[in-house]
């Protein structure tokens, strides 16, 4: 019994997606940080600048300075 070609493509596509999910580097798994996870504002700034978007919500007032309440 042979499957239609589109089904084979679908199965291969799903397999590729599963493989990518299994083997993506750990850095790509984005951890959610809060300001309390950082010892200093500089540490928060470093994490903040890894992304072009405030994914952790560290800069609530959107002035480009995350966790301004933390010590420098
Ligand atoms: Ca801010």
């Amino acid at each position: 019994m042979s499957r239609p070609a589109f089904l084979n493509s679908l199965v291969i596509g799903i397999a590729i997606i599963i493989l990518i999910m299994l083997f993506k580097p750990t850095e790509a798994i984005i951890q959610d940080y809060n300001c309390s996870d950082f010892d200093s504002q500089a540490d928060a700034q470093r994490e903040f600048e890894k992304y072009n978007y405030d994914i952790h919500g560290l800069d609530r007032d959107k002035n480009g300075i995350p966790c301004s309440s933390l010590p420098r």
Side-chain angles (χ1 to χ4, degrees):
M1 185 175 90
S2 75
R3 288 179 293 196
F6 82 90
L7 256 185
N8 285 333
S9 302
L10 185 69
V11 168
I12 290 168
I14 289 171
I16 289 171
I17 290 168
I18 290 171
L19 283 173
I20 290 170
M21 288 171 75
L22 286 176
F23 293 105
K24 65 182 173 181
T26 49
E27 256 202 13
I29 301 168
I30 297 169
Q31 199 177 336
D32 186 38
Y33 289 112
N34 300 310
C35 286
S36 56
D37 294 318
F38 301 101
D39 293 327
S40 70
Q41 197 278 325
D43 287 347
Q45 190 79 40
R46 209 171 296 119
E47 179 64 26
F48 178 75
E49 287 175 357
K50 280 187 192 172
Y51 311 98
N52 292 323
Y53 173 72
D54 186 14
I55 56 164
H56 302 300
L58 299 175
D59 182 22
R60 301 256 180 228
D61 59 2
K62 311 262 184 260
N63 66 352
I65 302 168
C67 305
S68 37
S69 59
L70 287 176
R72 284 249 158 202

